[in-house]
Amino acid sequence: MIKAQIPIGNIVEDFKVGNTHIMICDDDCRDKTQEDKARAIKRMEVIAANAIAAGKYKPKNNQEVSGGNV
């Protein structure tokens, strides 16, 4: 078994899925200013708009999202 040697930061979630141990840290976003957060959201908007324009985004229809209980 290979175990990655990743530095562990501030763990906010720790769980297993099958044989995979998942630890989620918030180090990248914990100490951000409102301006940093606004810049990140704007960047995500640009990435999403580019994906939609390129035809790479395929939205699910309501049946798939709600499990058929429309």
Side-chain angles (χ1 to χ4, degrees), residues 51-52 54-61 64-65:
I52 291 168
K56 294 180 180 178
Y57 173 71
K58 304 285 189 244
K60 294 181 177 180
N61 65 34
E64 289 173 332
V65 172

Side-chain angles (χ1 to χ4, degrees), residues 24-49:
I24 300 175
C25 300
D26 68 352
D27 297 345
D28 190 50
C29 59
R30 181 178 28 164
D31 299 323
K32 299 292 184 185
T33 65
Q34 284 302 110
E35 293 79 20
D36 292 334
K37 292 175 186 177
R39 251 191 315 275
I41 290 170
K42 183 62 178 170
R43 180 72 181 129
M44 287 184 266
E45 290 171 350
V46 169
I47 291 168

Side-chain angles (χ1 to χ4, degrees), residues 4-19:
Q5 297 300 316
I6 300 171
I8 297 176
N10 185 47
I11 299 171
V12 293
E13 292 268 351
D14 186 347
F15 56 96
K16 283 193 167 192
V17 175
N19 291 329

